[in-house]
Amino acid sequence: MTDSRIPTVRLGETGPEVSVQGLGCMGMSAAYGPADAGEARAALERALELGVTLYDTADMYGSGENERFLAPFFKAHRDEVVVATKFALSIPPDDPSRRVVRNDPPYIRQAVEASLKRLDVDVIDLYYMHRRDVNVPIEETVGTMADLVREGKVKHLGLSEVTAGELRAAQGVHPIAAVQSEWSLFSRDIEANVVPAAAELGVALVPYSPLGRGFLTGSFADAENDLTAGDFRRHQPRFIGDNAAANAALLEPIRAVAAAHDASLAQIALAWTHQRTTVHNLPVVPIPGTTKRHRVEENAKATTIKLTDDELSLLDPIATKVSGDRYADMSFASAGRE
């Protein structure tokens, strides 16, 4: 028996054709504590077998280690995959807890060359500005990114965590294929301005953390008590203390819908995200992250689940009841600037 491959969609009017669900690769090298490298490699191969073609990384994940980790997989399957990576966030060697945002042209050129080398590719299929440096005009940043397209180092451009105004300004310089932002049953702030702008401009949305960084799966209820010391979620406001207890109670409607579909909580959360395509009339390609084959298989099955209007009505109020911001410092998110 062969697996049915998940469908494809174009990222915006000018972007690449990709699977309707991608794979976020950050956790294979960073952020969530130690990962089994062998199992992570097997998860990559299994995703490809199931039709996943969009693989998402960034230069700052593991300070470049994630790009290096993915390079052999990309080399083995170069014509089958869409390689997406990002620039703009750097980690000072003397203070690993800090994040420095840079969008200036010299830094972009330095970053793209380093990513090309680590990934061992001749061209990056989708190159994102990871975060916005408000001290650099976005037209200048995107202008430099556009130069990389003309020079053959990058095929398509993306932006992450930008406001509607920033997206419009960027689109005026060069076509933007996709905007990446957090979007899930717990995080819906981009629906106010960014999503309508993207739909109007013909830009796709690529939701990261569509499973609420794992919280929507029910796999943990309190980050401080349930997760390892190296897991960055132990410092995220939504997942600790009273916020965690309040938010854990919000999973009950998801459990009810999951039971009706004989599905997991993760599959229902992903199905809800996929159905944003029809609600907002634009391509929506979530990139749930995992390091395990069975989670890749579970997540892929979410693309076949159709939620009813009654079920959507049950799930839609959840975001309004969430306790805590999605970042300790919301200046890193578009909602902090809208």
Side-chain angles (χ1 to χ4, degrees):
M1 180 173 139
T2 58
D3 296 302
S4 57
R5 291 170 66 85
I6 66 176
T8 62
V9 67
R10 186 166 297 282
L11 285 182
E13 295 179 354
T14 61
E17 188 84 8
V18 300
S19 51
V20 297
Q21 185 170 286
L23 180 62
C25 301
M26 177 179 72
M28 296 178 179
S29 306
Y32 299 117
D36 182 325
E39 178 63 16
R41 292 189 189 95
L44 290 167
E45 296 288 349
R46 185 63 179 134
L48 188 60
E49 290 174 355
L50 293 170
V52 174
T53 61
L54 177 62
Y55 295 82
D56 186 87
T57 182
D59 59 1
M60 64 86 63
Y61 297 162
S63 297
E65 285 305 312
N66 195 233
E67 290 181 326
R68 293 188 187 94
F69 175 80
L70 294 169
F73 172 74
F74 292 154
K75 187 171 185 177
H77 303 287
R78 189 65 189 96
D79 295 335
E80 303 170 80
V81 300
V82 173
V83 177
T85 193
K86 316 177 195 72
F87 73 89
L89 278 172
S90 62
I91 303 172
D94 60 339
D95 187 357
S97 66
R98 285 184 62 221
R99 301 291 183 269
V100 176
V101 182
R102 289 187 61 181
N103 291 174
D104 57 285
Y107 180 80
I108 296 170
R109 290 197 166 276
Q110 171 189 328
V112 74
E113 295 297 341
S115 284
L116 286 165
K117 183 176 180 180
R118 285 190 294 263
L119 291 164
D120 194 20
V121 297
D122 295 326
V123 61
I124 294 166
D125 299 315
L126 178 58
Y127 200 42
Y128 287 98
M129 180 190 78
H130 203 166
R131 289 293 186 272
R132 172 87 171 98
D133 178 358
V134 297
N135 297 309
V136 179
I138 196 162
E139 294 86 352
E140 183 177 345
T141 299
V142 177
T144 301
M145 295 170 71
D147 287 341
L148 301 180
V149 175
R150 286 186 282 271
E151 294 163 14
K153 295 176 180 179
V154 170
K155 289 185 180 179
H156 306 282
L157 302 185
L159 304 171
S160 181
E161 289 290 357
V162 292
T163 66
E166 290 162 353
L167 174 57
R168 292 182 191 282
Q171 185 79 350
V173 176
H174 188 277
I176 302 299
V179 168
Q180 189 173 132
S181 190
E182 187 169 357
W183 197 8
S184 72
L185 281 167
F186 264 26
S187 301
R188 299 181 60 180
D189 50 77
I190 65 168
E191 293 177 23
N193 298 299
V194 178
V195 172
E200 175 193 332
L201 297 169
V203 177
L205 251 295
V206 176
Y208 71 81
S209 298
L211 299 177
R213 305 189 188 281
F215 198 87
L216 288 168
T217 70
S219 60
F220 72 97
D222 186 313
E224 290 177 302
N225 295 322
D226 299 343
L227 302 179
T228 61
D231 196 309
F232 89 112
R233 291 171 293 183
R234 288 168 57 92
H235 307 288
Q236 299 296 99
R238 289 184 173 175
F239 308 139
I240 57 178
D242 293 341
N243 287 344
N247 292 335
L250 299 178
L251 302 183
E252 291 310 309
I254 309 175
R255 288 194 174 93
V257 175
H261 286 267
D262 192 23
S264 68
L265 273 69
Q267 288 170 331
I268 298 305
L270 283 171
W272 178 90
T273 306
H274 281 293
Q275 284 183 235
R276 300 305 92 192
T277 289
T278 53
V279 172
H280 297 282
N281 193 32
L282 81 170
V284 178
V285 181
I287 48 169
T290 186
T291 62
K292 298 179 174 62
R293 279 170 289 183
H294 73 279
R295 294 300 184 199
V296 166
E297 294 167 350
E298 177 185 344
N299 292 344
K301 290 176 183 176
T303 64
T304 67
I305 297 174
K306 177 73 173 177
L307 303 178
T308 67
D309 289 343
D310 287 345
E311 288 168 341
L312 291 172
S313 296
L314 189 65
L315 299 173
D316 279 349
I318 291 174
T320 63
K321 302 174 183 177
V322 172
S323 298
D325 287 332
R326 54 189 178 99
Y327 285 106
D329 180 358
M330 282 296 288
S331 67
F332 282 94
S334 61
R337 300 190 307 278
E338 288 279 17

